[in-house]
Amino acid sequence: QVHVVESGGETVQAGGSLRLSCAASGRTVSTNAMGWFRQAPGREREFVGGIAWGGDKTLYGESVKGRFTITRDIANKTVNLQMNSLKPEDTAVYYCAVDPYSGLNEVVGSADRYTYWGQGTQVTVSS
C-alpha cells in the first residue's frame, strides 16, 4: 500500500508565500503521479496541481496557474507545493494524493484517479 503525509500548512497574510510538502512511501509509489487538492468549507474539492513521478510533466488548476509551483525530490519521494501571492480564497485544507493508475509521464486532475490520500493540512490566508 501507499502512505501519504502532507505538512506545512500555516496561517499567512495575503500576498505571502508558503511551501507545503508531501512525503509518500509504498511498494510502487515511484511510478505514480502525485497531486494536490484543496477543499474549503462549503465548496467542492478542487484540483490544485500534480506532477508525473516517472516523468517531469505538471498540471495546474486554472485558479493557481502562475502562482503555485509543484516540484519533486525523487530520492526522498517527496513533492512540494510552492504557493506564492496567496489570496484569502486560497484558504482550505490541502490534501496530497497518489494516482496509482498513471503512466510514467501522465498526470491528471480528476480526483477519482487518486486512490491514496493524506490527512490534509490547513492553509489559512488572512486579509
Side-chain angles (χ1 to χ4, degrees):
Q1 300 297 317
V2 177
H3 296 88
V4 184
V5 180
E6 62 271 83
S7 62
E10 296 179 358
T11 298
V12 298
Q13 296 184 28
S17 298
L18 189 66
R19 175 174 288 189
L20 306 182
S21 296
C22 176
S25 62
R27 189 178 183 87
T28 59
V29 65
S30 63
T31 65
N32 301 127
M34 299 178 66
W36 288 94
F37 294 79
R38 66 186 183 185
Q39 188 166 22
R43 299 183 180 180
E44 296 184 351
R45 185 166 297 182
E46 176 188 15
F47 176 71
V48 176
I51 186 168
W53 198 249
D56 197 29
K57 295 181 179 180
T58 57
L59 182 68
Y60 296 96
E62 290 295 328
S63 64
V64 304
K65 285 183 178 179
R67 298 190 299 121
F68 293 6
T69 303
I70 292 177
T71 57
R72 64 177 179 173
D73 183 339
I74 296 177
N76 293 319
K77 297 182 179 180
T78 301
V79 295
N80 299 310
L81 180 67
Q82 179 65 45
M83 309 163 67
N84 298 326
S85 301
L86 285 164
K87 307 174 181 179
E89 304 92 272
D90 295 318
T91 296
V93 176
Y94 283 70
Y95 298 91
C96 182
V98 174
D99 172 12
Y101 305 104
S102 60
L104 292 177
N105 298 312
E106 181 186 16
V107 57
V108 301
S110 178
D112 58 9
R113 282 280 296 272
Y114 293 80
T115 300
Y116 306 101
W117 296 79
Q119 295 297 309
T121 185
Q122 176 70 47
V123 173
T124 301
V125 183
S126 61
S127 300

